[in-house]
Amino acid sequence: MKKRDGFEGEKLITVPYSVLKKAKKVNPVLKQLYIGSMGYFPQATYHYRERKKGCQDNILLYCVKGKGWYIVKNKKFEMKANEFCLIPATNEYLRYGADTKDPWTIYWVHFTGDDMDTFNKSFNLTLLDGPQEISFNEKGLDLWNIMYNNLEMGYSTENLCSTCFHLYHFIATFLYPEKHYNVKKQDARNMVNETIMYMRSKLSQQLTVEALAQKNNLSTSHFTFLFRKATGTSPMDYFIHLKLQKACLMLHSTSSKIKEIAKSFGYDDQFYFSRLFKKYMNISPLQYRSRHRSRMISD
């Protein structure tokens, strides 16, 4: 079974060429770059598109979840979450589609202009560039939604021009991602601090990065990116360090058994806790307790 579109929750819009042709006469700036069509396909099971004569537009595909693939010039490329590809206009046979087991969720834009050959050469875009990894492109998605909403309001020259200007910015967030992080540093810092406080209150439990991300209304990848950027470590590593920090205190200030200490931090398996402790502390819990008490005696 293969589907070109028709996915639950999808968004899809196409600007008729006759409309674009008329608008370009009214405002020649549109000749440089404009959108032909754009869409959003969530969990696009059975998605498949075959273009035997290629495509006259540049195609930008941004995968935010799941996996997919595309084939051009007999070379197959795999795509996964947090990757995008920018396939330049071509006459080559082109195919792409979703992975059968883990279908992708993609945002896509077809765009072109009166001199795409120069545009593509200027940015060294070739058919065999392959997918590029990118941090969660929040700014790009904000711009995608602005462009889509503009076009939904109609094809007036004003709407098309506004969309055109946003299109340049949208493409820039992929070609120069490091210059377009849409992150308010203070908000991110507050979010991380609140997450750490929440972790401290849940040391007896097992948390997941997915649950922490959901608590902050963020995707897992974006939450992890913000947390790592602020702390230098992943959320789960940070959570484990908090547990072990408290475990160290219990080892040298109480006579609790290792099994009891492990259980107080949500580890029913004493030996797993000991292995984890040694992995992060480079010493076993018993050795840590023995060494600390020896120091207290010598002091």
Side-chain angles (χ1 to χ4, degrees), residues 87-152:
I87 306 171
T90 181
N91 293 321
E92 295 282 347
Y93 180 41
L94 173 64
R95 287 178 288 166
Y96 49 89
D99 182 77
T100 54
K101 295 181 179 179
D102 187 15
W104 60 13
T105 292
I106 55 171
Y107 289 83
W108 56 267
V109 175
H110 282 222
F111 65 93
T112 189
D114 287 6
D115 189 7
M116 289 309 292
D117 187 53
T118 298
F119 178 92
N120 292 330
K121 286 180 179 178
S122 297
F123 294 102
N124 298 313
L125 300 177
T126 70
L127 286 174
L128 301 181
D129 288 340
Q132 308 294 315
E133 190 172 356
I134 189 172
S135 297
F136 181 75
N137 193 354
E138 182 179 9
K139 183 63 177 178
L141 295 185
D142 285 344
L143 290 163
W144 188 97
N145 280 302
I146 290 172
M147 294 189 298
Y148 189 87
N149 291 336
N150 276 346
L151 296 180
E152 268 198 322

Side-chain angles (χ1 to χ4, degrees), residues 60-64 82-86 107-109 111 132-141 143-144 147 167-180:
L60 191 152
L61 303 174
Y62 176 32
C63 179
V64 296
N82 296 314
E83 289 186 341
F84 77 94
C85 67
L86 211 171
Y107 289 83
W108 56 267
V109 175
F111 65 93
Q132 308 294 315
E133 190 172 356
I134 189 172
S135 297
F136 181 75
N137 193 354
E138 182 179 9
K139 183 63 177 178
L141 295 185
L143 290 163
W144 188 97
M147 294 189 298
L167 175 60
Y168 282 97
H169 195 178
F170 172 76
I171 296 169
T173 65
F174 289 95
L175 297 182
Y176 309 106
E178 69 283 355
K179 298 183 182 296
H180 294 277

Side-chain angles (χ1 to χ4, degrees), residues 200-213:
R200 288 186 180 279
S201 71
K202 302 293 181 180
L203 294 182
S204 63
Q205 301 180 20
Q206 296 294 332
L207 299 178
T208 65
V209 66
E210 290 81 8
L212 292 171

